[in-house]
Amino acid sequence: GVRLLDKPVGLSSNDALIKAKRVLNAKKAGHTGTLDPFATGLLPLCFGEATKFSQDLLEADKTYETTVHLGITTNTGDTEGETIDTRPVDVTVEQIEAALAKFRGPILQVPPMYSALKRDGKAYYEYAREGITLEREARPVTIHKLEFISYEAPMLKLLVTCSKGTYIRVLAEDIGIALGCGAHLAALTREAAGPFELAGAVSID
């Protein structure tokens, strides 16, 4: 069947899957969409026969609550990276709303170097760790919902519903560019994936 896991900070999606698989003594299992180690929230896990429709869940839209740290850019686009630029933050809620409007609907997004995408059998993040930056082609994604939650400078909270293949880290960076101050992703919680909601998800220690 499918178990809804409330993934804690510090575990990769694969680490969480391995731990749950061990707890349930399952022979066959798979997760339905990667969450970075620093991210929390809903990670649907499929076991046994349910792995047959895991691809359908991978293709599903997903909803996140995210915190964007304005004014600081990192080499990974999130809190795990090194700071590469710092700028003053002097933006209004009206400017934020205007910037968010640019990212709603179909957009093009350039995948980050720190990602598991591969070229010539080697993951992008492996190239990045070697100091190599590759040309990446922008890919179409859809931001179905991008809602302002709150803003206490320099922290901006948003609710995002997006299509498969969307990098929330890149969205945060692009919003920072649009505001002229740069940004990185400070926190991320997956609220829903396809037909599933976070309510009722189990946790692992």
Side-chain angles (χ1 to χ4, degrees):
V2 178
R3 297 298 296 268
L4 306 184
L5 176 67
D6 188 2
K7 190 190 83 64
V9 172
L11 286 179
S12 69
S13 296
N14 194 55
D15 289 339
L17 175 65
I18 291 171
K19 193 167 185 178
K21 187 177 178 181
R22 187 183 305 120
V23 168
L24 297 173
N25 195 28
K27 294 182 179 180
K28 188 176 182 181
H31 65 72
T32 59
T34 302
L35 281 173
D36 290 332
F38 85 98
T40 64
L42 185 65
L43 181 66
L45 303 178
C46 296
F47 297 93
E49 292 298 307
T51 57
K52 292 180 180 179
F53 63 85
S54 60
Q55 186 62 36
D56 293 336
L57 298 179
L58 285 169
E59 300 286 341
D61 296 337
K62 296 174 177 65
T63 298
Y64 302 89
E65 184 174 308
T66 179
T67 301
V68 179
H69 189 150
L70 301 179
I72 297 177
T73 305
T74 71
N75 63 341
T76 61
D78 59 29
T79 58
E80 297 186 318
E82 298 177 0
T83 298
I84 56 177
D85 190 26
T86 302
R87 299 182 188 181
V89 179
D90 183 20
V91 298
T92 65
V93 171
E94 290 75 19
Q95 290 172 320
I96 290 170
E97 291 282 14
L100 296 182
K102 300 175 183 178
F103 298 98
R104 296 187 181 109
I107 63 171
L108 291 175
Q109 201 179 65
V110 178
M113 277 302 301
Y114 281 88
S115 68
L117 295 175
K118 292 185 177 182
R119 182 174 298 179
D120 299 326
K122 187 174 178 179
Y124 279 11
Y125 66 79
E126 295 180 87
Y127 289 104
R129 288 171 181 170
E130 295 171 2
I132 300 171
T133 299
L134 303 175
E135 290 292 328
R136 286 102 65 206
E137 186 175 343
R139 306 190 306 177
V141 297
T142 301
I143 308 300
H144 300 291
K145 181 187 296 183
L146 181 55
E147 294 183 354
F148 174 91
I149 297 177
S150 66
Y151 175 54
E152 294 184 14
M155 297 300 186
L156 170 62
K157 288 190 176 183
L158 304 169
L159 185 69
V160 184
T161 299
C162 57
S163 66
K164 172 194 173 185
T166 302
Y167 285 91
I168 306 298
R169 282 179 289 149
V170 175
L171 180 62
E173 290 179 306
D174 289 345
I175 290 170
I177 291 170
L179 290 170
C181 59
H184 70 277
L185 191 63
L188 181 69
T189 300
R190 182 182 290 167
E191 301 290 341
F196 302 119
E197 302 293 332
L198 183 58
V202 298
S203 300
I204 55 174
D205 298 321

